[in-house]
Amino acid sequence: MRRKKIVRDTKETKIVLALEIDGTGAYEINTGCGFLNHMLELFSRHGRFDIAVDCNGDTDVDYHHTTEDIGIAMGKAFKEALGDKRGIYRYGSMILPMDETLMLCAVDISGRSCVSFDVDIPTEKVGDFDTELVEEFVTAFARESGMTIHIRMLAGENTHHIIEAVFKSLGRALRTACAIEEEYADEIPSTKGVL
């Protein structure tokens, strides 16, 4: 099984995160932020990743460090759980509708971090969550995992729906990219022979 546990302990956050890539979508999420909990639960369920997150962060300041550091821990967990990436499909994409919202997400587990985030979020907050932190999460996750991630909003008006579509589409695209291509399970999906 491809699984990893990450412990991140800084002056800003204390995080214990467990990931099982070949899961069922089970989750146990406690970030200290209800909205972020909800988004990570959606990511877990739609990616079919088993994820447990316990974060004690400086939420008396805001949710910035919590969100970014969970992205860091999640990215490290994926990178380490995928190992040499032997047999994976490597690429995954999803065009996901969420009511009036339509979100495109494409992922390449390339070993190279790159983010293109073209999402127009109409409000600065959902509840007490700063919506600019969505991009911070994706950027931290991509940097630590060594993935290329493109996210494009094709349509959308409602902030909650837009952000929900980001996390669901990322989960779905990653589910495909992480899956093992049985016919080529012993091969690295690159002409270089390494990812």
Side-chain angles (χ1 to χ4, degrees), residues 2-6 17-22 40 43-44 47-51 70-85 88 107 109 137 141-142 144-147 149 170-179:
R2 298 176 295 171
R3 60 172 63 125
K4 188 64 185 178
K5 181 177 180 181
I6 299 290
L17 184 149
L19 165 72
E20 184 163 329
I21 290 175
D22 305 298
L40 294 176
F43 173 78
S44 169
R48 293 294 173 186
F49 309 122
D50 291 348
I51 298 175
I70 290 172
I72 289 169
M74 189 84 73
K76 285 184 178 180
F78 268 89
K79 182 176 183 177
E80 294 181 24
L82 286 167
D84 68 0
K85 306 175 190 73
I88 64 169
V107 173
I109 306 176
F137 174 86
F141 177 80
E144 296 299 323
S145 63
M147 294 184 194
I149 300 174
L170 180 58
R172 290 271 173 173
L174 269 175
R175 178 180 177 183
T176 301
C178 290

Side-chain angles (χ1 to χ4, degrees), residues 80-193:
E80 294 181 24
L82 286 167
D84 68 0
K85 306 175 190 73
R86 188 174 304 278
I88 64 169
Y89 275 91
R90 176 178 167 178
Y91 299 99
S93 63
M94 171 60 61
I95 297 177
L96 187 133
M98 175 66 201
D99 295 348
E100 88 297 342
T101 297
L102 190 62
M103 196 69 60
L104 179 150
C105 179
V107 173
D108 176 11
I109 306 176
S110 61
R112 299 181 304 278
S113 170
C114 180
V115 173
S116 178
F117 190 85
D118 185 7
V119 179
D120 183 20
I121 301 176
T123 65
E124 292 182 0
K125 286 188 177 285
V126 175
D128 57 355
F129 181 83
D130 294 313
T131 57
E132 68 181 6
L133 297 179
V134 176
E135 186 172 1
E136 290 295 322
F137 174 86
V138 173
T139 299
F141 177 80
R143 184 177 62 243
E144 296 299 323
S145 63
M147 294 184 194
T148 293
I149 300 174
H150 288 259
I151 300 178
R152 292 267 184 286
M153 187 174 86
L154 305 177
E157 296 175 9
N158 179 281
T159 296
H160 189 121
H161 294 167
I162 289 166
I163 297 173
E164 186 166 325
V166 167
F167 279 87
K168 284 180 175 178
S169 64
L170 180 58
R172 290 271 173 173
L174 269 175
R175 178 180 177 183
T176 301
C178 290
I180 300 295
E181 192 171 7
E182 292 298 335
E183 190 176 352
Y184 305 105
D186 292 326
E187 294 183 12
I188 303 292
S190 171
T191 56
K192 294 189 293 291

Side-chain angles (χ1 to χ4, degrees), residues 29-41 63 128-129:
I29 311 283
N30 177 26
T31 68
C33 172
F35 184 75
L36 184 57
N37 289 351
H38 180 41
M39 294 303 107
L40 294 176
E41 289 165 1
Y63 295 124
D128 57 355
F129 181 83

Side-chain angles (χ1 to χ4, degrees), residues 58-65:
D58 56 357
T59 55
D60 56 314
V61 176
D62 63 11
Y63 295 124
H64 186 107
H65 297 138

